[in-house]
Amino acid sequence: MEKKSQHVEPKQEEKEEPQASICGYDSLHRLLHDNLSPHLYQEVSRVLSGYNCGKAVEAIGLPESATGLSSQHGFDFLGFRFNAEKELLREPRVVRVGLIQNSIALPTTAHFVDQKKAIFEKLKPIIDAAGSSGVNILCLQEAWMMPFAFCTREKRWCEFAEPVDGESTQFLRSFALKYNMVIISPILERDINHGEVMWNTAVVIGNHGNIIGKHRKNHIPRVGDFNESTYYMEGNTGHPVFETAFGKIAINICYGRHHPLNWLAFGLNGAEIVFNPSATVGELSEPMWSIEARNAAIANSYFVASINRVGTETFPNPFTSGDGKPAHADFGHFYGSSYVSAPDASCTPSLSRHRDGLLITDMDLNLCRQVKDKWGFRMTSRYELYAETLAHYVKPDFEPQVISDPLLHKKSS
Amino acid sequence: MEKKSQHVEPKQEEKEEPQASICGYDSLHRLLHDNLSPHLYQEVSRVLSGYNCGKAVEAIGLPESATGLSSQHGFDFLGFRFNAEKELLREPRVVRVGLIQNSIALPTTAHFVDQKKAIFEKLKPIIDAAGSSGVNILCLQEAWMMPFAFCTREKRWCEFAEPVDGESTQFLRSFALKYNMVIISPILERDINHGEVMWNTAVVIGNHGNIIGKHRKNHIPRVGDFNESTYYMEGNTGHPVFETAFGKIAINICYGRHHPLNWLAFGLNGAEIVFNPSATVGELSEPMWSIEARNAAIANSYFVASINRVGTETFPNPFTSGDGKPAHADFGHFYGSSYVSAPDASCTPSLSRHRDGLLITDMDLNLCRQVKDKWGFRMTSRYELYAETLAHYVKPDFEPQVISDPLLHKKSS
């Protein structure tokens, strides 16, 4: 089954997501797998995706109940495992993580209530597949309960916002309870107690259906059509690590992945898995997508679980993009490609660039400390030095450490 | 010529570097180029190597005098160009950068004087090729004037160390003068004025043959056979940026590439190109090699020029590796693969994994500020927040920001 789901013909998706036909292939790994000899594919994979405990990252078998839902509802479904070395004093701590990527369900012209309801309906079988696969921690994409309408700068989309305990949380807590599953739910938050301002927030729902806490997006983009700073400010929740029944987790929302200090701070607070729910488009960021999360996993000795939404969202009123080009109505192609990076520099193949998908990954969290012990990045980090550097840098009269060539303006002989 | 040098048959190298035959292909890009249709190769390249100003990174023509040296002396020779958008108020600032990777020239059992002299002789035609190609800034690999003997923990290799103005600097300053070229020379430094201790140091030689300054490696590894901490301590020169006739440059030596804060500090001081002269081996780091430098270029909006040495170095006396395995006499395969990363997430193909090489890259430094303006990573970085985070973290009584599920120990129903 695994093989089959990993190498679906591209034609099928093009029907489902016609805007995406510019690059019709399903994922880089499938393309390379289908076009290289097994021997070459193996070596290319080693260099591109690393090795985990001396071997290519293993695909895992998935239960029929879940693969049935995948076939029936047409979502991509892959599963992998990261191993760690056996230890004498600790048992393996294997956590099963699920990531969901999805397109919206109705046109953005539909009534807002119907749009949200349709996304709920669309997600149900995918969450059921995760639950029936025994997923321990499930994460949805950024602002999963709405179209990514921030490109428009129109304030009417604020009506999608909800308080932390709003309808999306209520919808998900029943699944959390049913499947004994932690669920991370990134929403557009309306902060009732603080003048009804909005935040880009991840709600962490415990495996008993309780709300453990929330984290608000730390870095807000001002690039391309990402006009989010029109709607909400930089988060005020610090870099919390949530101690759940299945491990210590944190959430780095979307644009925060471009900021190594943001990744660092979650690591300093002890995260073993950092989720990066995102919404990002092809022309802007696709070549960065396979770099930043993996670098964060390597540099901070934790797992990173990256999710990107899927499809092209078209809005009722055309808008300009600050690039001098004519107004247009869509945000470009959200290229999916959700994947998981491990602290040992290995990573899973990605989900489809075009289709909804569920990625399941078993990870032995013992790998985090094993990599710390092996590579010693924490030990050799000289944080004192950089605490001083940053304290110095933020002063308005900061002057950079520059050594000028005294012969700079001498003419060459 | 370009095409030809980019797709050399692997057999040739195996003769030159027989230890490397485990993975006989020359570079990942050449392997993909030779095994995928042009259409697929183009798309794979876009995702793997990014686009620069909307196109694949361009190969450039190189002068015959230099290609002749490459054929005669059998070193790999590639050239590429990174463009920037035209600006109204600034002219393009195109700098030609050269990177040299090389294996040692004599067995490690030869007299030390002969070993060093043989490396000098081997480098001459490669430096001449760089000079006659009009290279403005040339960088050599880490500790280029000696075998990477730190695996042995034997102190006799300290005899290779030199003061900053020692024979290696004297050797290179004549080329700097002849070709009007800045040369970065990473050596094992003997600090005469401070009790003859050693440092892992990059000497920056100006285009008039003068010594502009030095930088000492900030982060010292304790991983695998990298026993460098037996020989020298963490550098005490901060994060200097050298203002040269051809741009503001900095040097992040080897293991410092695993430390995002180190990359950051060079950026804060205004570097436009950061060189990463390295010596690293296949099994340990190859899957990280294509990630960390590119992430640094993206996160800090500067160019990164990465160099790794080539070949397998075997030492007279076997040594153990702290992995419980039997003593052995070699360090593993230094896999070359030098390449350049740009701030817009694009990168060049790599030099050979097995052969000496010269990589020439034209880069319009205007791209750095253009990317800063576009993506706004500096503006959105919240350095004040992280200055506080780090100051807090380094205190012995630091407690991480953890939010525990209050139902953590409740049994599931």
Side-chain angles (χ1 to χ4, degrees):
Chain A
M1 166 273 141
E2 194 43 39
K3 280 254 150 170
K4 192 164 161 267
S5 88
Q6 252 181 288
H7 308 292
V8 182
E9 290 301 306
K11 276 166 200 162
Q12 213 175 317
E13 298 96 65
E14 287 183 9
K15 268 183 227 146
E16 202 182 294
E17 193 61 57
Q19 305 95 321
S21 58
I22 13 147
C23 305
Y25 66 94
D26 203 48
S27 81
L28 186 66
H29 284 85
R30 286 169 198 173
L31 182 148
L32 292 173
H33 179 278
D34 294 349
N35 288 280
L36 295 174
S37 71
H39 174 76
L40 284 184
Y41 178 73
Q42 195 189 352
E43 178 56 17
V44 168
S45 291
R46 184 187 70 83
V47 175
L48 287 185
S49 308
Y51 267 21
N52 168 247
C53 294
K55 291 188 301 188
V57 176
E58 283 175 54
I60 55 174
L62 298 166
E64 265 178 46
S65 56
T67 57
L69 286 166
S70 150
S71 316
Q72 194 186 333
H73 296 275
F75 59 86
D76 196 10
F77 188 27
L78 300 176
F80 300 95
R81 178 202 315 276
F82 292 104
N83 296 306
E85 301 297 335
K86 283 230 175 292
E87 299 183 15
L88 291 176
L89 303 183
R90 294 196 299 184
E91 291 297 311
R93 294 184 298 135
V94 179
V95 175
R96 177 160 285 196
V97 165
L99 308 181
I100 294 178
Q101 65 177 36
N102 61 280
S103 57
I104 54 175
L106 288 182
T108 57
T109 46
H111 191 287
F112 287 3
V113 169
D114 296 332
Q115 283 190 55
K116 194 181 279 187
K117 215 159 123 186
I119 296 174
F120 284 18
E121 287 307 312
K122 184 183 218 210
L123 281 180
K124 274 183 187 169
I126 315 185
I127 301 174
D128 278 327
S132 66
S133 300
V135 160
N136 301 125
I137 308 175
L138 179 68
C139 186
L140 306 185
Q141 70 196 17
E142 184 183 21
W144 65 271
M145 23 60 84
M146 63 181 289
F148 211 72
F150 311 117
C151 49
T152 66
R153 288 177 289 118
E154 298 167 10
K155 291 297 169 86
R156 65 200 187 97
W157 303 98
C158 297
E159 283 203 64
F160 273 98
E162 302 174 19
V164 161
D165 59 355
E167 58 186 326
S168 292
T169 302
Q170 299 312 324
F171 167 70
L172 291 174
R173 66 195 307 172
S174 62
F175 291 98
L177 259 172
K178 179 174 177 189
Y179 293 116
N180 188 36
M181 183 161 72
V182 170
I183 302 182
I184 301 165
S185 169
I187 63 170
L188 180 63
E189 180 201 352
R190 174 79 75 182
D191 182 358
I192 307 295
N193 290 349
H194 290 92
E196 302 183 302
V197 294
M198 273 168 296
W199 303 97
N200 185 317
T201 300
V203 180
V204 181
I205 302 168
N207 55 318
H208 297 98
N210 54 314
I211 297 171
I212 301 178
K214 63 175 180 293
H215 174 61
R216 290 168 175 160
K217 183 171 180 171
N218 271 328
H219 299 268
I220 311 299
R222 282 95 167 152
V223 56
D225 281 341
F226 290 84
N227 299 314
E228 295 164 58
S229 66
T230 305
Y231 296 86
Y232 40 79
M233 298 294 285
E234 282 71 16
N236 59 357
T237 50
H239 295 85
V241 166
F242 299 93
E243 189 179 21
T244 74
F246 308 110
K248 290 184 171 178
I249 64 174
I251 307 106
N252 178 348
I253 305 176
C254 198
Y255 185 75
R257 75 181 175 282
H258 305 301
H259 291 282
L261 286 164
N262 197 36
W263 290 111
L264 171 72
F266 293 117
L268 297 182
N269 285 326
E272 295 177 301
I273 313 169
V274 180
F275 293 85
N276 177 229
S278 297
T280 183
V281 291
E283 295 215 358
L284 197 66
S285 69
E286 198 165 358
M288 302 177 175
W289 183 248
S290 63
I291 301 292
E292 293 162 320
R294 291 187 66 193
N295 190 76
I298 296 166
N300 299 292
S301 306
Y302 53 48
F303 289 93
V304 176
S306 305
I307 309 173
N308 184 23
R309 67 168 60 203
V310 171
T312 304
E313 301 179 359
T314 306
F315 294 93
N317 306 312
F319 49 89
T320 56
S321 294
D323 56 5
K325 291 183 187 162
H328 54 110
D330 77 272
F331 206 141
H333 177 61
F334 293 106
Y335 54 82
S337 307
S338 304
Y339 74 111
V340 175
S341 310
D344 64 359
S346 63
C347 68
T348 69
S350 306
L351 287 178
S352 169
R353 299 175 68 254
H354 306 298
R355 293 183 299 147
D356 295 350
L358 169 63
L359 176 65
I360 288 185
T361 310
D362 287 347
M363 42 184 84
D364 185 343
L365 299 181
N366 284 353
L367 186 61
C368 300
R369 199 169 82 182
Q370 290 175 13
V371 170
K372 277 185 197 166
D373 287 350
K374 175 182 175 185
W375 275 97
F377 295 149
R378 293 289 178 105
M379 180 176 78
T380 58
S381 272
R382 308 185 71 182
Y383 295 122
E384 299 80 359
L385 174 66
Y386 297 104
E388 277 173 39
T389 302
L390 281 173
H392 183 49
Y393 180 79
V394 296
K395 289 184 188 148
D397 62 352
F398 164 76
E399 287 192 17
Q401 184 190 356
V402 175
I403 298 173
S404 288
D405 184 350
L407 306 182
L408 200 57
H409 301 293
K410 186 186 164 191
K411 286 217 173 120
S412 302
S413 51
Chain B
M1 168 275 144
E2 194 44 37
K3 280 253 149 169
K4 192 164 163 267
S5 89
Q6 251 181 292
H7 307 292
V8 183
E9 289 302 305
K11 276 166 199 161
Q12 213 176 316
E13 297 96 64
E14 286 181 10
K15 269 183 225 146
E16 202 180 294
E17 193 61 58
Q19 307 94 322
S21 59
I22 14 149
C23 305
Y25 67 94
D26 202 48
S27 81
L28 187 65
H29 285 86
R30 286 169 197 173
L31 182 148
L32 292 173
H33 179 278
D34 294 349
N35 288 281
L36 295 174
S37 71
H39 174 75
L40 284 183
Y41 177 73
Q42 195 188 352
E43 179 56 18
V44 169
S45 291
R46 184 187 70 83
V47 176
L48 287 186
S49 308
Y51 266 22
N52 167 247
C53 295
K55 291 188 301 188
V57 175
E58 282 174 54
I60 55 174
L62 297 166
E64 265 179 44
S65 57
T67 57
L69 286 166
S70 149
S71 316
Q72 193 186 332
H73 296 274
F75 59 85
D76 196 12
F77 187 27
L78 300 177
F80 300 96
R81 177 202 315 276
F82 292 104
N83 296 306
E85 300 297 335
K86 281 228 176 294
E87 299 184 15
L88 291 176
L89 303 183
R90 293 196 300 183
E91 291 297 311
R93 292 185 300 136
V94 179
V95 175
R96 177 161 285 197
V97 165
L99 308 181
I100 294 178
Q101 65 176 36
N102 61 279
S103 57
I104 53 175
L106 289 181
T108 57
T109 46
H111 192 288
F112 287 1
V113 169
D114 297 331
Q115 283 190 56
K116 194 181 281 189
K117 214 159 123 187
I119 296 175
F120 284 18
E121 288 306 312
K122 183 183 218 213
L123 281 180
K124 274 182 186 169
I126 315 185
I127 301 174
D128 278 326
S132 65
S133 300
V135 161
N136 302 123
I137 308 174
L138 179 68
C139 186
L140 307 185
Q141 70 197 16
E142 184 183 20
W144 64 271
M145 23 60 85
M146 63 181 289
F148 212 72
F150 312 116
C151 49
T152 66
R153 289 178 287 118
E154 298 167 10
K155 291 299 169 86
R156 64 199 188 97
W157 304 98
C158 296
E159 284 204 64
F160 273 98
E162 303 174 18
V164 162
D165 58 356
E167 58 187 325
S168 292
T169 301
Q170 300 311 325
F171 167 70
L172 291 174
R173 65 195 310 173
S174 62
F175 291 97
L177 258 173
K178 178 174 177 189
Y179 293 116
N180 187 36
M181 185 160 71
V182 171
I183 302 182
I184 301 165
S185 170
I187 62 169
L188 179 63
E189 181 201 350
R190 174 80 73 182
D191 182 358
I192 308 294
N193 290 347
H194 291 91
E196 302 183 302
V197 294
M198 271 167 298
W199 303 98
N200 185 317
T201 300
V203 181
V204 181
I205 302 168
N207 55 316
H208 297 97
N210 54 313
I211 296 172
I212 301 178
K214 63 175 181 292
H215 173 61
R216 290 168 175 159
K217 184 171 181 171
N218 271 327
H219 299 268
I220 312 299
R222 282 96 165 151
V223 56
D225 281 341
F226 290 85
N227 299 315
E228 296 163 58
S229 66
T230 304
Y231 296 87
Y232 41 79
M233 298 295 283
E234 281 71 15
N236 60 356
T237 50
H239 295 86
V241 166
F242 298 93
E243 189 179 21
T244 73
F246 307 110
K248 290 184 170 180
I249 64 174
I251 307 105
N252 178 348
I253 305 176
C254 197
Y255 184 74
R257 75 180 175 282
H258 305 300
H259 291 283
L261 286 164
N262 196 35
W263 290 110
L264 172 72
F266 293 117
L268 297 181
N269 285 326
E272 295 178 301
I273 312 169
V274 180
F275 293 85
N276 178 229
S278 297
T280 183
V281 291
E283 294 215 357
L284 196 67
S285 70
E286 197 165 358
M288 302 177 176
W289 183 248
S290 64
I291 301 292
E292 293 163 319
R294 291 187 66 192
N295 189 76
I298 295 167
N300 300 293
S301 306
Y302 53 49
F303 289 92
V304 176
S306 304
I307 309 174
N308 185 22
R309 67 168 62 203
V310 172
T312 304
E313 301 178 359
T314 306
F315 295 93
N317 306 312
F319 51 88
T320 56
S321 294
D323 56 5
K325 292 182 185 160
H328 53 110
D330 78 272
F331 206 142
H333 177 61
F334 294 105
Y335 53 82
S337 307
S338 304
Y339 74 111
V340 175
S341 310
D344 64 359
S346 63
C347 68
T348 69
S350 306
L351 287 178
S352 169
R353 298 176 68 254
H354 306 298
R355 293 183 299 147
D356 295 349
L358 169 63
L359 176 64
I360 288 185
T361 310
D362 287 345
M363 41 184 84
D364 185 343
L365 300 181
N366 284 353
L367 187 61
C368 300
R369 198 169 82 182
Q370 290 175 13
V371 171
K372 278 184 196 166
D373 287 350
K374 176 182 175 185
W375 276 96
F377 294 148
R378 294 289 178 104
M379 181 176 80
T380 58
S381 274
R382 307 185 71 183
Y383 295 121
E384 298 81 358
L385 174 66
Y386 297 104
E388 276 173 40
T389 302
L390 281 173
H392 184 51
Y393 179 79
V394 296
K395 290 184 188 148
D397 62 352
F398 164 77
E399 288 195 13
Q401 183 189 357
V402 175
I403 298 174
S404 289
D405 184 350
L407 306 182
L408 201 57
H409 302 293
K410 186 186 164 190
K411 284 217 174 119
S412 302
S413 50

